[in-house]
Amino acid sequence: MKRGQSAAVAASSEWVGDDGVRQPGGEVHAWQAGTNQTLCGLALSRTRLRRFPHVRFDFRATDVITPEDEVRHICPRCVAATSRRGERNWTRVSPRP
Ligand SMILES: [Zn+2]
C-alpha cells in the first residue's frame, strides 16, 4: 500500500445531498481505493459497507456528531489510522534521551 495517500470513506448507509451527490451515513470507516477492506480490517463485502471513493475520510477524533448529522458513528480505529500520518491532531512529542 502506498503511503501518504488519503483514504476515502466506507459507510453503512448513504443519503443524497442537495447537489445530488451521495454522502455517507450511519457508521463510517476509512477505506483506501483499490482495497476491499477498511483500514481497521473489516471486509467490505462481508459487512455490506458502501464505498464512497469521492468522499475523503477527513474525520478527526475531536469531531462531534450532532443529532442532525447522518453520520452516527465514526470508527475510532480508522480515525487513528488516518490521523497518524503527520496530521495536526495527532502530535506526538518525541521522547528526550
Ligand atoms: Zn473502521
Side-chain angles (χ1 to χ4, degrees):
M1 196 192 290
K2 258 190 260 167
R3 286 196 150 262
Q5 218 174 4
S6 61
V9 169
S12 60
S13 70
E14 66 182 47
W15 57 285
V16 177
D18 293 336
D19 48 5
V21 178
R22 284 194 309 131
Q23 298 294 332
E27 190 182 314
V28 296
H29 294 268
W31 158 74
Q32 206 116 35
T35 66
N36 50 23
Q37 61 174 36
T38 62
L39 292 191
C40 63
L42 295 176
L44 292 178
S45 52
R46 225 177 310 151
T47 51
R48 294 173 184 247
L49 290 169
R50 296 144 204 254
R51 300 162 200 220
F52 298 82
H54 56 292
V55 181
R56 236 190 95 208
F57 187 91
D58 58 357
F59 298 100
R60 294 290 171 270
T62 49
D63 280 354
V64 176
I65 297 172
T66 66
E68 298 90 67
D69 280 327
E70 300 286 337
V71 172
R72 297 279 168 245
H73 178 71
I74 303 167
C75 173
R77 293 167 68 192
C78 284
V79 170
T82 51
S83 14
R84 215 171 284 152
R85 314 177 176 149
E87 295 198 28
R88 275 138 269 155
N89 259 327
W90 192 269
T91 352
R92 189 172 286 171
V93 181
S94 40
R96 304 239 161 215

